[in-house]
Amino acid sequence: MSDRWIEVADRVWVRRLKELDQSLGLVVGDDCCLVIDTGTSAEAGFAFATAIRELTDLPWQVAYTHDHFDHWFGTSAFGESSVWAVADGAHYVRFGDEQRRKWVAKYRLDGREEEARQMGASRLVPPNCRVQGAIGLNLGGRTVVLRQVGPAHSDNDMVVEVPDAGVLFAGDLLEQGAPPSYSAAFPIEWPQAVEHLLGWRPPIVVPGHGEPGDYWWARAQARDLAEVARLCAEAAQGFITEDEAAEHSPFGPEAMRTALARWKELTPPAPEPAPLPDPSRTPPPPVVVYDLIDYQIDMRP
């Protein structure tokens, strides 16, 4: 598959990438456009920016759906612009450096030296506009909604709603063609967040990876996410084994085992039971001494 555009609604496009089967977004208004995620490196971001300029010459703003590297390492190609996200810039810089070291090493181990070089040389651009709750962003004749979600796939998920076009850019809250990633997720809260998002029944739902889908596809995946949460809870309570949970997972054994491991990571350990008292050290019951009071009652009238 080569990189290509899909126009999912009027002036709303999805850029489908071969790398990681990723789906980036573009929403165009009368005065400016919104770029949704930017790819894995400065080179990937430059290719995306060049493709955008084939569609519009309007100034752009950028939105990060969350802090995983493939969604924001390409932003340096977009120059100076407003960059919207849920987590603050300090978090992005700290976590971005950790991810870059990890993925550069992984690419080199896989023999992908050019990808490792590109990522290592990419300047990371943290967000400079923070989203808390939800905000409406006026693009000129069209308002998009940037909405904080979660915790769900991460602790800083954000979606982009385009109400006039009936499009929801869901980031990695939803994925098409591959199991969702639970490595940094919140398995119990995730399905609840997706159900809340689907309350307005968007006709078109764009996942972070894979082809765009419709509302009913998204509802089906929300049910699968809820099933993973139920299996995690049953395994934690001892109703089923982890092997049984993995065998019956809607996303396959590997994703289920990752979800179970993440569940354990998030669940605080049970408190230690209080020790039984040592009879040899049990103090005797207290002795209560009552004072005797000599008194008389005067019965005279």
Short mmCIF file of all heavy atoms in Angstrom, two decimals, residues 27-80:
data_model
loop_
_atom_site.label_atom_id
_atom_site.label_comp_id
_atom_site.label_asym_id
_atom_site.label_seq_id
_atom_site.Cartn_x
_atom_site.Cartn_y
_atom_site.Cartn_z
N VAL A 27 -8.67 18.57 8.42
CA VAL A 27 -9.99 19.21 8.36
C VAL A 27 -9.76 20.64 7.91
O VAL A 27 -8.98 21.38 8.53
CB VAL A 27 -10.70 19.20 9.73
CG1 VAL A 27 -12.09 19.81 9.61
CG2 VAL A 27 -10.78 17.78 10.29
N VAL A 28 -10.44 21.05 6.84
CA VAL A 28 -10.21 22.36 6.24
C VAL A 28 -11.42 23.25 6.46
O VAL A 28 -12.56 22.85 6.19
CB VAL A 28 -9.91 22.22 4.73
CG1 VAL A 28 -9.73 23.60 4.09
CG2 VAL A 28 -8.67 21.36 4.51
N GLY A 29 -11.18 24.45 6.97
CA GLY A 29 -12.22 25.47 7.09
C GLY A 29 -12.01 26.55 6.05
O GLY A 29 -11.27 26.38 5.08
N ASP A 30 -12.64 27.72 6.25
CA ASP A 30 -12.48 28.83 5.32
C ASP A 30 -11.21 29.64 5.59
O ASP A 30 -10.67 30.26 4.67
CB ASP A 30 -13.69 29.77 5.41
CG ASP A 30 -14.99 29.09 4.98
OD1 ASP A 30 -14.90 28.13 4.18
OD2 ASP A 30 -16.07 29.51 5.45
N ASP A 31 -10.76 29.64 6.85
CA ASP A 31 -9.63 30.48 7.22
C ASP A 31 -8.36 29.71 7.52
O ASP A 31 -7.25 30.22 7.35
CB ASP A 31 -9.98 31.32 8.47
CG ASP A 31 -11.16 32.23 8.23
OD1 ASP A 31 -11.36 32.66 7.06
OD2 ASP A 31 -11.89 32.52 9.20
N CYS A 32 -8.50 28.48 8.03
CA CYS A 32 -7.32 27.67 8.35
C CYS A 32 -7.71 26.20 8.33
O CYS A 32 -8.89 25.86 8.13
CB CYS A 32 -6.71 28.07 9.69
SG CYS A 32 -7.77 27.74 11.13
N CYS A 33 -6.73 25.33 8.56
CA CYS A 33 -7.01 23.89 8.58
C CYS A 33 -6.41 23.29 9.84
O CYS A 33 -5.51 23.86 10.46
CB CYS A 33 -6.48 23.20 7.33
SG CYS A 33 -4.69 23.31 7.10
N LEU A 34 -6.92 22.13 10.21
CA LEU A 34 -6.43 21.42 11.38
C LEU A 34 -5.79 20.11 10.92
O LEU A 34 -6.43 19.30 10.24
CB LEU A 34 -7.57 21.12 12.35
CG LEU A 34 -7.15 20.38 13.63
CD1 LEU A 34 -6.25 21.27 14.50
CD2 LEU A 34 -8.37 19.92 14.43
N VAL A 35 -4.53 19.92 11.31
CA VAL A 35 -3.78 18.70 11.02
C VAL A 35 -3.87 17.80 12.24
O VAL A 35 -3.54 18.22 13.36
CB VAL A 35 -2.32 19.04 10.70
CG1 VAL A 35 -1.51 17.76 10.47
CG2 VAL A 35 -2.23 19.97 9.51
N ILE A 36 -4.30 16.56 12.05
CA ILE A 36 -4.51 15.65 13.16
C ILE A 36 -3.43 14.58 13.13
O ILE A 36 -3.42 13.70 12.27
CB ILE A 36 -5.91 15.02 13.10
CG1 ILE A 36 -6.97 16.11 13.08
CG2 ILE A 36 -6.13 14.07 14.28
CD1 ILE A 36 -8.34 15.64 12.70
N ASP A 37 -2.44 14.71 14.04
CA ASP A 37 -1.27 13.86 14.14
C ASP A 37 -0.34 14.09 12.95
O ASP A 37 -0.77 14.57 11.89
CB ASP A 37 -1.64 12.39 14.29
CG ASP A 37 -2.33 12.10 15.62
OD1 ASP A 37 -2.10 12.85 16.58
OD2 ASP A 37 -3.09 11.11 15.70
N THR A 38 0.96 13.75 13.13
CA THR A 38 1.94 14.15 12.13
C THR A 38 2.92 13.06 11.73
O THR A 38 3.81 13.32 10.91
CB THR A 38 2.75 15.36 12.65
OG1 THR A 38 3.42 15.01 13.87
CG2 THR A 38 1.85 16.56 12.89
N GLY A 39 2.84 11.86 12.28
CA GLY A 39 3.71 10.78 11.82
C GLY A 39 4.91 10.52 12.71
O GLY A 39 5.07 11.11 13.78
N THR A 40 5.80 9.66 12.23
CA THR A 40 6.83 9.05 13.06
C THR A 40 8.16 9.79 13.09
O THR A 40 9.01 9.49 13.92
CB THR A 40 7.10 7.63 12.58
OG1 THR A 40 7.55 7.68 11.21
CG2 THR A 40 5.87 6.75 12.67
N SER A 41 8.38 10.74 12.18
CA SER A 41 9.67 11.43 12.11
C SER A 41 9.50 12.72 11.33
O SER A 41 8.44 12.96 10.72
CB SER A 41 10.72 10.55 11.42
OG SER A 41 10.39 10.37 10.05
N ALA A 42 10.55 13.55 11.34
CA ALA A 42 10.49 14.80 10.58
C ALA A 42 10.30 14.53 9.09
O ALA A 42 9.58 15.25 8.41
CB ALA A 42 11.77 15.61 10.82
N GLU A 43 10.95 13.47 8.56
CA GLU A 43 10.78 13.14 7.15
C GLU A 43 9.35 12.73 6.85
O GLU A 43 8.77 13.15 5.84
CB GLU A 43 11.74 12.01 6.75
CG GLU A 43 13.16 12.43 6.49
CD GLU A 43 13.95 12.65 7.78
OE1 GLU A 43 13.39 12.47 8.89
OE2 GLU A 43 15.14 13.02 7.68
N ALA A 44 8.76 11.93 7.74
CA ALA A 44 7.36 11.54 7.55
C ALA A 44 6.45 12.77 7.64
O ALA A 44 5.50 12.90 6.86
CB ALA A 44 6.96 10.51 8.59
N GLY A 45 6.74 13.66 8.58
CA GLY A 45 5.97 14.88 8.69
C GLY A 45 6.10 15.77 7.47
O GLY A 45 5.12 16.38 7.01
N PHE A 46 7.32 15.86 6.89
CA PHE A 46 7.51 16.66 5.69
C PHE A 46 6.70 16.09 4.52
O PHE A 46 6.08 16.84 3.76
CB PHE A 46 8.99 16.72 5.33
CG PHE A 46 9.29 17.52 4.10
CD1 PHE A 46 9.30 18.90 4.13
CD2 PHE A 46 9.54 16.88 2.88
CE1 PHE A 46 9.55 19.65 2.98
CE2 PHE A 46 9.80 17.61 1.73
CZ PHE A 46 9.81 19.00 1.78
N ALA A 47 6.69 14.78 4.38
CA ALA A 47 5.90 14.16 3.31
C ALA A 47 4.41 14.45 3.52
O ALA A 47 3.68 14.72 2.54
CB ALA A 47 6.16 12.65 3.28
N PHE A 48 3.96 14.42 4.76
CA PHE A 48 2.55 14.71 5.06
C PHE A 48 2.23 16.17 4.76
O PHE A 48 1.22 16.49 4.14
CB PHE A 48 2.26 14.36 6.52
CG PHE A 48 0.83 14.49 6.94
CD1 PHE A 48 -0.21 14.26 6.05
CD2 PHE A 48 0.51 14.85 8.25
CE1 PHE A 48 -1.55 14.37 6.45
CE2 PHE A 48 -0.80 14.97 8.65
CZ PHE A 48 -1.83 14.73 7.75
N ALA A 49 3.12 17.09 5.20
CA ALA A 49 2.89 18.52 4.96
C ALA A 49 2.86 18.81 3.46
O ALA A 49 2.04 19.62 2.98
CB ALA A 49 3.98 19.34 5.64
N THR A 50 3.73 18.16 2.70
CA THR A 50 3.75 18.35 1.25
C THR A 50 2.45 17.88 0.62
O THR A 50 1.89 18.54 -0.27
CB THR A 50 4.94 17.60 0.64
OG1 THR A 50 6.15 18.07 1.22
CG2 THR A 50 4.99 17.78 -0.87
N ALA A 51 1.94 16.74 1.09
CA ALA A 51 0.66 16.23 0.58
C ALA A 51 -0.49 17.18 0.93
O ALA A 51 -1.41 17.37 0.12
CB ALA A 51 0.40 14.84 1.14
N ILE A 52 -0.44 17.77 2.12
CA ILE A 52 -1.48 18.72 2.52
C ILE A 52 -1.49 19.93 1.59
O ILE A 52 -2.55 20.43 1.18
CB ILE A 52 -1.29 19.15 3.98
CG1 ILE A 52 -1.60 17.99 4.92
CG2 ILE A 52 -2.17 20.35 4.32
CD1 ILE A 52 -1.27 18.25 6.38
N ARG A 53 -0.30 20.40 1.21
CA ARG A 53 -0.22 21.57 0.34
C ARG A 53 -0.76 21.30 -1.06
O ARG A 53 -1.03 22.23 -1.82
CB ARG A 53 1.22 22.07 0.28
CG ARG A 53 1.62 22.83 1.55
CD ARG A 53 0.75 24.07 1.70
NE ARG A 53 1.01 24.84 2.91
CZ ARG A 53 0.09 25.14 3.79
NH1 ARG A 53 -1.16 24.70 3.63
NH2 ARG A 53 0.36 25.87 4.84
N GLU A 54 -0.95 20.03 -1.40
CA GLU A 54 -1.61 19.70 -2.66
C GLU A 54 -3.12 19.92 -2.58
O GLU A 54 -3.80 20.03 -3.60
CB GLU A 54 -1.33 18.25 -3.04
CG GLU A 54 0.15 17.95 -3.32
CD GLU A 54 0.41 16.47 -3.49
OE1 GLU A 54 -0.56 15.69 -3.34
OE2 GLU A 54 1.57 16.11 -3.76
N LEU A 55 -3.63 19.99 -1.32
CA LEU A 55 -5.07 20.16 -1.12
C LEU A 55 -5.45 21.57 -0.71
O LEU A 55 -6.53 22.05 -1.06
CB LEU A 55 -5.56 19.18 -0.05
CG LEU A 55 -5.40 17.69 -0.34
CD1 LEU A 55 -5.88 16.87 0.86
CD2 LEU A 55 -6.16 17.28 -1.59
N THR A 56 -4.60 22.25 0.07
CA THR A 56 -4.94 23.57 0.58
C THR A 56 -3.66 24.34 0.89
O THR A 56 -2.64 23.74 1.26
CB THR A 56 -5.80 23.47 1.86
OG1 THR A 56 -6.08 24.79 2.34
CG2 THR A 56 -5.10 22.69 2.94
N ASP A 57 -3.74 25.67 0.71
CA ASP A 57 -2.62 26.53 1.09
C ASP A 57 -2.94 27.35 2.34
O ASP A 57 -2.23 28.30 2.68
CB ASP A 57 -2.24 27.46 -0.06
CG ASP A 57 -3.39 28.37 -0.49
OD1 ASP A 57 -4.50 28.25 0.09
OD2 ASP A 57 -3.19 29.19 -1.41
N LEU A 58 -4.01 27.00 3.04
CA LEU A 58 -4.40 27.72 4.26
C LEU A 58 -3.41 27.45 5.38
O LEU A 58 -2.79 26.38 5.44
CB LEU A 58 -5.80 27.29 4.69
CG LEU A 58 -6.96 27.73 3.80
CD1 LEU A 58 -8.27 27.09 4.27
CD2 LEU A 58 -7.09 29.26 3.79
N PRO A 59 -3.27 28.41 6.31
CA PRO A 59 -2.42 28.14 7.49
C PRO A 59 -3.00 27.00 8.31
O PRO A 59 -4.21 26.76 8.30
CB PRO A 59 -2.46 29.46 8.26
CG PRO A 59 -3.69 30.16 7.78
CD PRO A 59 -3.88 29.76 6.35
N TRP A 60 -2.12 26.31 9.03
CA TRP A 60 -2.57 25.13 9.76
C TRP A 60 -2.35 25.26 11.25
O TRP A 60 -1.53 26.03 11.73
CB TRP A 60 -1.90 23.86 9.25
CG TRP A 60 -0.42 23.95 9.05
CD1 TRP A 60 0.51 24.50 9.88
CD2 TRP A 60 0.30 23.49 7.91
NE1 TRP A 60 1.77 24.39 9.35
CE2 TRP A 60 1.67 23.78 8.13
CE3 TRP A 60 -0.07 22.84 6.73
CZ2 TRP A 60 2.67 23.45 7.22
CZ3 TRP A 60 0.92 22.51 5.82
CH2 TRP A 60 2.27 22.81 6.06
N GLN A 61 -3.13 24.48 11.99
CA GLN A 61 -2.90 24.18 13.39
C GLN A 61 -2.80 22.66 13.50
O GLN A 61 -3.24 21.94 12.61
CB GLN A 61 -4.03 24.71 14.28
CG GLN A 61 -4.23 26.21 14.17
CD GLN A 61 -5.27 26.73 15.13
OE1 GLN A 61 -5.20 26.51 16.33
NE2 GLN A 61 -6.28 27.43 14.59
N VAL A 62 -2.21 22.20 14.60
CA VAL A 62 -1.94 20.77 14.76
C VAL A 62 -2.60 20.27 16.04
O VAL A 62 -2.63 20.98 17.06
CB VAL A 62 -0.42 20.50 14.81
CG1 VAL A 62 -0.14 19.02 15.06
CG2 VAL A 62 0.25 20.96 13.52
N ALA A 63 -3.16 19.06 16.00
CA ALA A 63 -3.73 18.41 17.18
C ALA A 63 -3.09 17.05 17.36
O ALA A 63 -2.96 16.28 16.39
CB ALA A 63 -5.25 18.26 17.02
N TYR A 64 -2.66 16.75 18.59
CA TYR A 64 -2.12 15.43 18.94
C TYR A 64 -3.22 14.62 19.61
O TYR A 64 -3.75 15.02 20.65
CB TYR A 64 -0.95 15.55 19.92
CG TYR A 64 0.29 16.24 19.40
CD1 TYR A 64 1.21 16.78 20.30
CD2 TYR A 64 0.56 16.34 18.04
CE1 TYR A 64 2.37 17.39 19.86
CE2 TYR A 64 1.71 16.96 17.59
CZ TYR A 64 2.62 17.49 18.50
OH TYR A 64 3.77 18.10 18.07
N THR A 65 -3.52 13.43 19.09
CA THR A 65 -4.52 12.60 19.74
C THR A 65 -4.00 11.96 21.03
O THR A 65 -4.79 11.65 21.92
CB THR A 65 -5.02 11.49 18.80
OG1 THR A 65 -3.91 10.69 18.38
CG2 THR A 65 -5.72 12.08 17.59
N HIS A 66 -2.67 11.78 21.14
CA HIS A 66 -2.05 11.33 22.39
C HIS A 66 -0.54 11.36 22.20
O HIS A 66 -0.05 11.77 21.14
CB HIS A 66 -2.55 9.95 22.83
CG HIS A 66 -2.28 8.84 21.87
ND1 HIS A 66 -2.82 8.77 20.61
CD2 HIS A 66 -1.50 7.73 21.99
CE1 HIS A 66 -2.40 7.69 19.98
NE2 HIS A 66 -1.59 7.04 20.79
N ASP A 67 0.19 10.91 23.20
CA ASP A 67 1.63 11.15 23.24
C ASP A 67 2.49 10.04 22.66
O ASP A 67 3.72 10.10 22.78
CB ASP A 67 2.06 11.43 24.68
CG ASP A 67 1.77 10.24 25.63
OD1 ASP A 67 1.31 9.19 25.16
OD2 ASP A 67 2.00 10.39 26.85
N HIS A 68 1.94 9.02 22.02
CA HIS A 68 2.78 7.96 21.45
C HIS A 68 3.50 8.49 20.21
O HIS A 68 2.94 9.26 19.43
CB HIS A 68 1.93 6.74 21.12
CG HIS A 68 1.40 6.08 22.35
ND1 HIS A 68 0.42 5.10 22.31
CD2 HIS A 68 1.68 6.25 23.67
CE1 HIS A 68 0.14 4.70 23.56
NE2 HIS A 68 0.90 5.39 24.38
N PHE A 69 4.74 8.05 20.02
CA PHE A 69 5.68 8.70 19.10
C PHE A 69 5.14 8.83 17.67
O PHE A 69 5.40 9.83 16.99
CB PHE A 69 7.00 7.93 19.08
CG PHE A 69 6.96 6.67 18.24
CD1 PHE A 69 7.45 6.66 16.95
CD2 PHE A 69 6.42 5.48 18.75
CE1 PHE A 69 7.41 5.51 16.17
CE2 PHE A 69 6.38 4.34 17.98
CZ PHE A 69 6.88 4.36 16.68
N ASP A 70 4.41 7.83 17.19
CA ASP A 70 3.98 7.84 15.80
C ASP A 70 2.92 8.90 15.51
O ASP A 70 2.58 9.13 14.34
CB ASP A 70 3.46 6.46 15.39
CG ASP A 70 2.46 5.88 16.39
OD1 ASP A 70 2.63 6.08 17.60
OD2 ASP A 70 1.51 5.20 15.95
N HIS A 71 2.45 9.57 16.55
CA HIS A 71 1.41 10.57 16.36
C HIS A 71 1.93 12.01 16.43
O HIS A 71 1.17 12.94 16.18
CB HIS A 71 0.30 10.37 17.39
CG HIS A 71 -0.40 9.06 17.22
ND1 HIS A 71 -1.58 8.93 16.51
CD2 HIS A 71 -0.08 7.81 17.64
CE1 HIS A 71 -1.96 7.66 16.51
NE2 HIS A 71 -1.05 6.96 17.19
N TRP A 72 3.23 12.20 16.73
CA TRP A 72 3.68 13.59 16.86
C TRP A 72 5.16 13.84 16.56
O TRP A 72 5.59 14.99 16.55
CB TRP A 72 3.36 14.12 18.26
CG TRP A 72 4.13 13.50 19.40
CD1 TRP A 72 3.94 12.27 19.96
CD2 TRP A 72 5.22 14.09 20.12
NE1 TRP A 72 4.82 12.06 20.99
CE2 TRP A 72 5.61 13.16 21.13
CE3 TRP A 72 5.88 15.32 20.05
CZ2 TRP A 72 6.65 13.42 22.02
CZ3 TRP A 72 6.91 15.58 20.95
CH2 TRP A 72 7.29 14.64 21.92
N PHE A 73 5.94 12.82 16.26
CA PHE A 73 7.36 13.05 15.99
C PHE A 73 7.60 13.79 14.67
O PHE A 73 8.72 14.22 14.40
CB PHE A 73 8.12 11.72 15.98
CG PHE A 73 8.56 11.26 17.35
CD1 PHE A 73 7.94 11.71 18.50
CD2 PHE A 73 9.61 10.37 17.49
CE1 PHE A 73 8.34 11.29 19.76
CE2 PHE A 73 10.03 9.93 18.75
CZ PHE A 73 9.39 10.40 19.88
N GLY A 74 6.58 13.96 13.83
CA GLY A 74 6.76 14.64 12.55
C GLY A 74 6.44 16.12 12.55
O GLY A 74 6.48 16.77 11.51
N THR A 75 6.16 16.70 13.71
CA THR A 75 5.60 18.06 13.75
C THR A 75 6.60 19.14 13.38
O THR A 75 6.20 20.23 12.94
CB THR A 75 5.02 18.33 15.15
OG1 THR A 75 4.10 17.29 15.48
CG2 THR A 75 4.28 19.65 15.20
N SER A 76 7.89 18.90 13.49
CA SER A 76 8.86 19.95 13.14
C SER A 76 8.73 20.38 11.69
O SER A 76 9.11 21.50 11.34
CB SER A 76 10.29 19.46 13.43
OG SER A 76 10.60 18.32 12.65
N ALA A 77 8.19 19.53 10.83
CA ALA A 77 8.01 19.88 9.42
C ALA A 77 6.93 20.94 9.21
O ALA A 77 6.85 21.53 8.13
CB ALA A 77 7.65 18.62 8.62
N PHE A 78 6.12 21.21 10.24
CA PHE A 78 5.02 22.15 10.09
C PHE A 78 5.36 23.56 10.59
O PHE A 78 4.50 24.43 10.59
CB PHE A 78 3.78 21.61 10.82
CG PHE A 78 3.19 20.41 10.15
CD1 PHE A 78 3.70 19.14 10.38
CD2 PHE A 78 2.14 20.55 9.26
CE1 PHE A 78 3.17 18.03 9.74
CE2 PHE A 78 1.60 19.44 8.62
CZ PHE A 78 2.12 18.18 8.85
N GLY A 79 6.60 23.78 10.98
CA GLY A 79 7.02 25.11 11.38
C GLY A 79 6.32 25.60 12.63
O GLY A 79 5.86 24.81 13.46
N GLU A 80 6.24 26.92 12.76
CA GLU A 80 5.60 27.53 13.92
C GLU A 80 4.08 27.46 13.77
O GLU A 80 3.53 27.95 12.78
CB GLU A 80 6.05 28.98 14.09
CG GLU A 80 7.54 29.14 14.37
CD GLU A 80 7.92 28.53 15.71
OE1 GLU A 80 7.10 28.59 16.65
OE2 GLU A 80 9.04 27.99 15.81
#
